[in-house]
Amino acid sequence: DGEGTPLPPEAVEFAVRFAQGRMRPEFPEKLEAWLGIRDEMLQAFKSPDGALGMGLGDKLGRWSQSGDWSFLLEWLETWFRDVALMGAEAAPERLINVDRQGELRALSEKLSPEAAARCHRAVLATRDAVQFNANKPLALEALWLNLQQQGLAA
């Protein structure tokens, strides 16, 4: 829209890759907040205590009420897809989260391809549950605990 601070090139590249060819009219107004959510989740992945004690539970609740839960689940789908691709030594241009290659590589060295696939399936199951009126904050917290059981915790 020509107003505000221009987004860094890596944020624009993420937005384009994340959209995967779909029209995403909400991007201009939501992208900065969504990048913040992505950053907070990546920090939570590194947390030695599983991050729920570091306020992640409150954030999951807030995101579920604001509607950002949809982005969170969609992003997690792309994240675990990228982890599996990185583990398979795919070309970087195939990644959606190409600006986070270091973190993807670190997680792909920690999670087996099978564990990354289980994480991806857990995200999909959570999306299905939420779409059928599951309690969003509880569903997101249960997802986080499930991801930790797959070896995601630091």
Side-chain angles (χ1 to χ4, degrees), residues 23-92:
M23 293 297 293
R24 301 297 294 255
E26 70 275 23
F27 268 158
E29 64 188 44
K30 297 292 283 182
L31 184 58
E32 191 172 339
W34 287 348
L35 290 171
I37 290 170
R38 182 177 75 154
D39 289 344
E40 290 186 67
M41 287 303 297
L42 292 174
Q43 276 305 114
F45 290 164
K46 299 174 190 173
S47 174
D49 72 349
L52 286 175
M54 303 280 297
L56 182 62
D58 292 337
K59 290 173 186 173
L60 291 173
R62 192 171 64 248
W63 297 334
S64 70
Q65 298 305 313
S66 71
D68 289 329
W69 63 269
S70 181
F71 165 77
L72 175 63
L73 292 175
E74 189 174 351
W75 172 73
L76 284 168
E77 285 180 45
T78 70
W79 184 254
F80 290 111
R81 170 200 173 272
D82 285 357
V83 168
L85 285 173
M86 185 65 77
E89 299 182 17

Side-chain angles (χ1 to χ4, degrees), residues 69 73 77 121-143 146:
W69 63 269
L73 292 175
E77 285 180 45
R121 284 193 301 272
V123 173
L124 295 176
T126 301
R127 179 187 292 279
D128 289 347
V130 168
Q131 288 176 337
F132 288 106
N133 292 325
N135 180 300
K136 288 180 194 85
L138 289 178
L140 293 177
E141 193 166 322
L143 171 61
N146 188 339

